[in-house]
Amino acid sequence: MRWSIQQLLAKKGEGLEIESTADVSELIDRDRELRDISPVQISGRGDFTGETVTFHVRLKGSMVLPCARSLADVNYPFNILMTESFRLDGMQADEEDVHLHEPENGYVDLLPYVKENILVELPIQVFAEDIDDTESPAPQNGKDWDIITEDEAAERKEKEENDIDPRMADLAKYFDK
């Protein structure tokens, strides 16, 4: 995922095809929500326009994130389209174009941009499907609280409404007359 400017200029006439797999496991250290990530399949091409090379790349893989409700592991597949451009002539890139970059020390390294695009595409929340209470790492009850379903909540509310305060029991009989 790293090419020298000379290697890229040699491919200028024919274009550059990319088929690779990259290990991006260090992203786990950069984002505390990310529990695991598979090697990323990178496929695409590099197109040359003048003194600029533009990479059109698809990133495929899967990551493990915590469920927003239960903290259980959720496998989340991703499929990201990425476009990044590099100037090969040594001229300064415009500050307005965030996708136009300069080579560093005579090399174009695509891997940092792959990692950045994966981090940007992390979902805010994921939810596990059909999780059992015994599998959930989050506590399901505690002192004076427990997690209940909506049906159980409706039953409890109905019961509370039908219960009569013993101090008001005699007053309730008054209205029965």
Side-chain angles (χ1 to χ4, degrees):
M1 300 305 303
R2 185 175 180 200
W3 302 272
S4 70
I5 293 174
Q6 298 302 333
Q7 288 173 320
L8 289 172
L9 291 174
K11 298 275 189 181
K12 190 173 184 176
E14 61 197 58
L16 178 66
E17 292 294 323
I18 302 169
E19 286 292 330
S20 181
T21 302
D23 178 26
V24 292
S25 57
E26 64 268 9
L27 291 178
I28 296 170
D29 298 331
R30 290 177 61 184
D31 191 299
R32 64 186 182 103
E33 290 291 315
L34 188 59
R35 294 182 177 172
D36 193 20
I37 188 164
S38 69
V40 178
Q41 296 174 352
I42 303 168
S43 60
R45 67 185 191 284
D47 296 327
F48 294 87
T49 308
E51 296 298 318
T52 303
V53 61
T54 302
F55 293 97
H56 303 280
V57 180
R58 179 178 300 274
L59 311 173
K60 286 185 180 181
S62 65
M63 58 183 87
V64 177
L65 299 166
C67 173
R69 285 190 208 112
S70 65
L71 301 178
D73 287 348
V74 177
N75 189 30
Y76 183 80
F78 60 88
N79 187 354
I80 302 168
L81 294 174
M82 174 180 106
T83 302
E84 300 291 339
S85 298
F86 292 86
R87 293 204 59 145
L88 302 178
D89 59 2
M91 301 296 289
Q92 290 285 336
D94 294 332
E95 292 181 18
E96 299 166 1
D97 192 356
V98 295
H99 293 288
L100 187 59
H101 311 288
E102 299 173 30
E104 292 182 20
N105 299 324
Y107 287 92
V108 170
D109 190 3
L110 205 54
L111 192 57
Y113 300 99
V114 167
K115 293 175 187 176
E116 179 183 324
N117 276 276
I118 291 171
L119 287 174
V120 167
E121 292 293 326
L122 282 174
I124 295 172
Q125 292 180 334
V126 293
F127 296 101
E129 297 292 326
D130 302 324
I131 188 79
D132 188 12
D133 291 343
T134 59
E135 297 174 14
S136 172
Q140 300 298 308
N141 56 23
K143 184 180 178 189
D144 298 330
W145 69 273
D146 59 343
I147 295 177
I148 59 174
T149 64
E150 288 183 26
D151 294 336
E152 291 172 329
E155 288 175 14
R156 286 186 185 183
K157 185 175 181 180
E158 184 178 318
K159 184 180 180 235
E160 288 174 2
E161 289 174 354
N162 292 336
D163 286 348
I164 299 174
D165 187 347
R167 296 171 291 179
M168 300 292 201
D170 291 334
L171 186 57
K173 292 176 189 174
Y174 176 78
F175 289 111
D176 288 339
K177 294 180 184 177

